[in-house]
Amino acid sequence: MKRKLLSIFALLTIVITASAQIGQNNDLNSGISPRNAKKNANIKGAIHQVQSMNVLKASPEWSTPQAMTIDGTETLTGPARIYRDATPSTFANPKSFPGTFSLVPTYFRTVTIPTTFLTKVTLRSTYISGGILFTAAYLNSFDPANLATNYLADIGSSSILSEPTKTMEFIVPSGNTLILVFMNADNSSPGTITYEYILDTQFNPIKITKQPTDGSICIGGNYTFTVEAAGGDLIYQWYKGNNPIMGANTNTLTINNATRGDYEQYYAVIKNSLMTVTSSKATLWVAEPLSDNMKITKYPNPAITGLKYDLVVDGYIDVNKYTWSYSVGGATFNLSPNASNEASVVFSGAAAGKGTISVVLEHVCGNKTITQDIVVKWPTGIADINNNKIWIGPNPMKERLTIDSQLAIDNVTISDLSGKIIFKSSSVVGSQLSIDCSGWAKGVYLVKVDKGNNINVYKVIKN
């Protein structure tokens, strides 16, 4: 955001019911301390507001001079005024409340300016004619009986003929109301006081519009973090972990020729003269190329059509996803990609013979395909389990299917060629099982018989 300036001229007039006399512009040589001020004058009069300022705007605007007239109907008084310590408030050295100086009564006039953004204010007060005026700034409220409450800044010394222009600087936090307070500072009998003051305001709120994002690169690669922010006079500092990066003072940070040591969180701190903001943290992943020795470590060989098997390939932390497939009999079957190095597959009953299992690893250093040769078979009929015969029949079947084994059976699962389970039993009594198949559809079914660590699969037909 470009620097936003608003200069407001206001002609300030003070009418006091006595003759005019120019006094000194501070209280350092008065002989009266700020904390032990005594009554030393009987001053009557009033400072009146007739022109209030508009809300400070976040766009450049120059106003015409605003006249402030006196009608004698408004009076704001208190038991003392601020002690003039000859030190103006500045951005570099904001000051504490300097104390009070008794002039009873002291007359005050306020100008209220609401603010929206964090605002940097420079007030220049220029003497024109008449007596002596002193200016201060307060936040949100002003109580003439308690001058230290909500005090923000003051001009240090009054403007007089020999030193006509005085300046003070201060910062108004966002969402607060600025109250300019003008007070009579003449130690004798003031008359008409005419001043002109100018407010220069800078609006520099910082707003991050684009946060840095996570990235992944291969060792030796380059990656650039970017943060975008709106605001004026922005200063950037990037951090790696909690440590500032020397020379990283723009809105971008590029990591060149990355090593594993660059795997870290990065963020930017952005500031100007008014505020400081911190971006979100972004992680840089630095990956090593995939090993040429990676293998599929779990697979069936042979695989029986219609049965479900687990597949496992060597895992790697920086792989984005794994895409599995298998080919057999000239046909290729693809599995859905996933983020795990494990998958499950049911080999289709449409083909058998020599085949290949493949998995593609998607990786920032380059994709890698790993393959494993297998054999896919149709289920057999009669088979041996530890040299003990098992009989399944009749085959083809119509009403019932009987399974008879010389050894006890643990589990029996029957599925169709799509892998849908039609029958399952995990509590087979003895070594014989009779199954009602009268309601099954005609077709080919696979019967899987478990006995301990031995698993056999058979193909049967339902007429």
Side-chain angles (χ1 to χ4, degrees), residues 18-181:
S19 61
Q21 181 175 352
I22 304 299
Q24 64 185 35
N25 70 343
N26 64 68
D27 301 314
L28 296 180
N29 298 317
S30 65
I32 302 177
S33 68
R35 295 188 179 276
N36 298 302
K38 299 181 181 297
K39 301 176 183 178
N40 69 337
N42 182 16
I43 302 173
K44 297 180 180 180
I47 303 174
H48 297 281
Q49 173 188 6
V50 296
Q51 179 68 42
S52 63
M53 296 183 182
N54 293 327
V55 176
L56 298 179
K57 299 178 181 178
S59 59
E61 180 179 304
W62 293 82
S63 68
T64 58
Q66 303 294 316
M68 299 182 72
T69 59
I70 302 300
D71 59 15
T73 60
E74 297 180 14
T75 303
L76 184 62
T77 65
R81 64 165 169 80
I82 293 178
Y83 182 81
R84 300 174 298 171
D85 63 0
T87 303
S89 300
T90 64
F91 299 132
N93 295 294
K95 58 189 282 188
S96 302
F97 180 68
T100 58
F101 191 104
S102 289
L103 286 173
V104 180
T106 299
Y107 298 94
F108 302 91
R109 187 67 189 96
T110 61
V111 175
T112 300
I113 309 173
T115 63
T116 301
F117 302 110
L118 191 72
T119 307
K120 188 176 181 180
V121 181
T122 300
L123 184 145
R124 294 191 297 275
S125 176
T126 302
Y127 168 86
I128 296 177
S129 65
I132 299 173
L133 185 75
F134 189 70
T135 308
Y138 283 75
L139 282 181
N140 299 318
S141 65
F142 169 69
D143 181 359
N146 298 282
L147 296 179
T149 302
N150 295 330
Y151 168 87
L152 179 61
D154 71 65
I155 210 160
S157 303
S158 297
S159 298
I160 58 176
L161 182 61
S162 60
E163 299 179 28
T165 300
K166 297 293 180 180
T167 300
M168 67 173 173
E169 302 171 332
F170 52 89
I171 292 175
V172 181
S174 60
N176 286 269
T177 297
L178 169 62
I179 300 177
L180 299 179
V181 178

Side-chain angles (χ1 to χ4, degrees), residues 144-458:
N146 298 282
L147 296 179
T149 302
N150 295 330
Y151 168 87
L152 179 61
D154 71 65
I155 210 160
S157 303
S158 297
S159 298
I160 58 176
L161 182 61
S162 60
E163 299 179 28
T165 300
K166 297 293 180 180
T167 300
M168 67 173 173
E169 302 171 332
F170 52 89
I171 292 175
V172 181
S174 60
N176 286 269
T177 297
L178 169 62
I179 300 177
L180 299 179
V181 178
F182 304 94
M183 60 194 77
N184 179 11
D186 201 336
N187 297 341
S188 56
S189 299
T192 300
I193 306 172
T194 304
Y195 273 78
E196 184 179 79
Y197 69 91
I198 299 173
L199 283 180
D200 288 343
T201 61
Q202 299 178 35
F203 300 89
N204 289 326
I206 302 174
K207 181 179 180 180
I208 294 178
T209 57
K210 181 180 179 181
Q211 297 283 2
T213 56
D214 295 341
S216 297
I217 56 175
C218 194
I219 284 181
N222 305 327
Y223 187 80
T224 298
F225 292 102
T226 300
V227 63
E228 295 180 1
D233 304 323
L234 301 182
I235 299 173
Y236 297 85
Q237 177 61 64
W238 285 92
Y239 285 75
K240 177 182 180 181
N242 293 319
N243 301 313
I245 303 173
M246 184 177 298
N249 305 120
T250 67
N251 74 312
T252 62
L253 170 67
T254 299
I255 307 300
N256 294 308
N257 195 24
T259 67
R260 290 294 284 184
D262 292 315
Y263 166 46
E264 186 55 271
Q265 287 187 321
Y266 296 82
Y267 63 94
V269 173
I270 311 169
K271 65 180 180 179
N272 59 18
S273 58
L274 297 181
M275 64 190 302
T276 299
V277 297
T278 301
S279 75
S280 60
K281 295 181 178 180
T283 300
L284 179 62
W285 296 82
V286 182
E288 296 180 356
L290 296 175
S291 170
D292 292 333
N293 297 322
M294 296 183 71
K295 298 178 180 179
I296 297 175
T297 56
K298 186 176 182 179
Y299 58 94
N301 198 20
I304 306 300
T305 59
L307 297 185
K308 183 177 180 180
Y309 296 94
D310 292 330
L311 307 175
V312 179
V313 67
D314 288 330
Y316 199 82
I317 189 173
D318 295 317
V319 174
N320 295 324
K321 66 180 179 181
Y322 300 79
T323 302
W324 292 85
S325 64
Y326 72 92
S327 300
V328 61
T332 298
F333 305 88
N334 297 309
L335 282 65
S336 298
N338 61 67
S340 170
N341 65 319
E342 300 180 359
S344 296
V345 59
V346 176
F347 287 89
S348 170
K354 292 183 178 180
T356 302
I357 299 174
S358 299
V359 59
V360 178
L361 284 64
E362 185 179 289
H363 190 262
V364 67
C365 295
N367 295 351
K368 192 176 189 65
T369 301
I370 302 172
T371 62
Q372 176 63 52
D373 293 336
I374 60 169
V375 174
V376 180
K377 294 183 177 181
W378 289 102
T380 60
I382 301 298
D384 289 337
I385 301 180
N386 290 340
N387 297 319
N388 292 285
K389 297 293 184 178
I390 182 171
W391 182 85
I392 298 177
N395 191 10
M397 57 183 171
K398 288 185 178 181
E399 302 295 330
R400 304 195 70 84
L401 178 67
T402 300
I403 301 173
D404 192 3
S405 172
Q406 296 182 17
L407 296 177
I409 300 171
D410 292 333
N411 300 292
V412 173
T413 302
I414 302 176
S415 59
D416 60 21
L417 292 183
S418 70
K420 179 181 178 181
I421 296 176
I422 305 300
F423 174 87
K424 186 172 183 178
S425 175
S426 59
S427 58
V428 180
V429 178
S431 59
Q432 189 177 80
L433 180 65
S434 180
I435 303 168
D436 182 4
C437 58
S438 59
W440 298 0
K442 294 181 180 181
V444 177
Y445 293 87
L446 304 177
V447 181
K448 184 175 74 170
V449 180
D450 296 355
K451 173 60 183 78
N453 294 325
N454 296 293
I455 300 174
N456 284 74
V457 179
Y458 310 94

